[in-house]
Amino acid sequence: MTLLQPKTGYRYNSDSLFLYYFIKKQSRLNGEVLDVGCGCGVVGLLLKRDFPKINLTALDIQPLNCEITALNAKKNNLDIKTICDDFVNFKCEQKFDFIVSNPPFYEMGSSSSDLHKNISRSAHNLEFNNFCKSANSLIKPKGVLYFCYDPRFLDMVLQVLGEYKFKLTKLKFIYPKKSKIAKLALFEAKKSSKSLCEILPDLIVMKKKKFSKKAKKVFKIANTKSVNYE
């Protein structure tokens, strides 16, 4: 899949690809799917490519991202809907079967010289409590929420999910190297579920200064190519 991306500002990284593959392996998507903070559309468009029957809505607060996502959908012959709005204030009569997101979770200062990157990455632009609150109002009674987050905030994530009646059902950790601490956690949370949580096998990204076989598999299946949007 060829994806236009801003030449400067926020550009997607392996976090989005690992999230996409996690969703692909854990679920058979169907019905209405909302991609929150879609960026260039990478997660949602890959899912739409692999699950063509879903109705995908891509939402982002930044007009540039919505513009690029729409172009990427057209470029890859994918029929989707794009909406430019703040997820915190987003109102919609339609309810979604799945909500997917690579939300901003980095602790960055709001004075970043690159506004596009700052909005896309900084946690203060979409606090996790507000993310779950909005997801709760937009998801169907048995809907599923997929997202990634910094594993250091696992206790906070579990607390907030519970407050909004989401039950963590699957969890996977991504390690940059075997000797390093986890840098990313992938979550599946179901609304009003009583299922027990499955802790899935870890994924180690680098082995002996090369991408691991598992990481290479993710990149191969995603099969993305980036082109600068100017």
Side-chain angles (χ1 to χ4, degrees):
M1 177 180 286
T2 300
L3 294 168
L4 297 167
Q5 290 202 82
K7 187 175 182 179
T8 60
Y10 177 75
R11 295 166 65 89
Y12 78 84
N13 55 30
S14 60
D15 291 2
S16 294
L17 300 183
F18 291 138
L19 176 62
Y20 145 73
Y21 188 73
F22 173 71
I23 299 169
K24 176 180 171 66
K25 294 294 289 183
Q26 301 308 319
S27 176
R28 294 195 62 81
L29 291 189
N30 58 76
E32 302 295 331
V33 179
L34 176 65
D35 181 5
V36 176
C38 62
C40 72
V42 55
V43 176
L45 293 177
L46 285 171
L47 292 172
K48 176 66 174 176
R49 180 195 69 185
D50 294 354
F51 300 93
K53 292 184 179 181
I54 65 173
N55 297 316
L56 177 67
T57 300
L59 181 144
D60 201 285
I61 194 173
Q62 300 192 75
L64 175 62
N65 288 345
C66 294
E67 179 182 339
I68 293 175
T69 295
L71 289 171
N72 282 333
K74 184 176 181 180
K75 190 177 186 69
N76 291 282
N77 299 311
L78 299 172
D79 183 19
I80 73 166
K81 180 180 181 180
T82 57
I83 297 176
C84 188
D85 203 348
D86 184 347
F87 187 52
V88 174
N89 301 316
F90 179 53
K91 305 297 181 184
C92 182
E93 292 184 3
Q94 181 184 36
K95 301 300 180 183
F96 296 90
D97 298 284
F98 297 87
I99 295 178
V100 304
S101 182
N102 179 359
F105 56 78
Y106 291 96
E107 296 298 313
M108 299 170 61
S110 60
S111 60
S112 170
S113 59
D114 192 319
L115 182 60
H116 182 266
K117 183 179 291 186
N118 178 268
I119 293 174
S120 299
R121 290 169 56 92
S122 181
H124 81 271
N125 290 307
L126 180 56
E127 294 180 355
F128 190 71
N129 183 82
N130 291 333
F131 170 72
C132 287
K133 182 178 180 180
S134 293
N136 177 56
S137 69
L138 291 165
I139 205 162
K140 291 182 180 180
K142 297 295 182 180
V144 185
L145 178 63
Y146 284 106
F147 64 97
C148 55
Y149 218 79
D150 186 333
R152 294 176 299 172
F153 298 102
L154 181 59
D155 56 343
M156 178 275 292
V157 168
L158 294 178
Q159 179 182 342
V160 175
L161 286 174
E163 289 175 3
Y164 292 100
K165 309 303 180 184
F166 285 105
K167 176 69 167 62
L168 179 64
T169 49
K170 291 181 182 177
L171 176 63
K172 185 180 185 74
F173 294 103
I174 308 295
Y175 292 82
K177 295 180 180 180
K178 189 175 182 179
S179 60
K180 301 293 184 180
I181 63 172
K183 292 295 186 180
L184 187 71
L186 307 173
F187 298 84
E188 176 192 85
K190 296 183 178 180
K191 187 68 184 292
S192 304
S193 174
K194 295 182 180 179
S195 300
L196 297 177
C197 179
E198 297 180 45
I199 308 299
L200 302 175
D202 302 329
L203 189 152
I204 298 172
V205 180
M206 303 293 295
K207 290 185 177 181
K208 297 181 179 179
K209 299 182 179 181
K210 295 182 179 180
F211 286 119
S212 67
K213 290 183 179 179
K214 289 184 178 179
K216 286 181 179 179
K217 182 178 180 180
V218 172
F219 302 149
K220 181 179 180 179
I221 291 175
N223 191 26
T224 58
K225 177 184 177 181
S226 295
V227 177
N228 288 336
Y229 176 76
E230 302 181 63

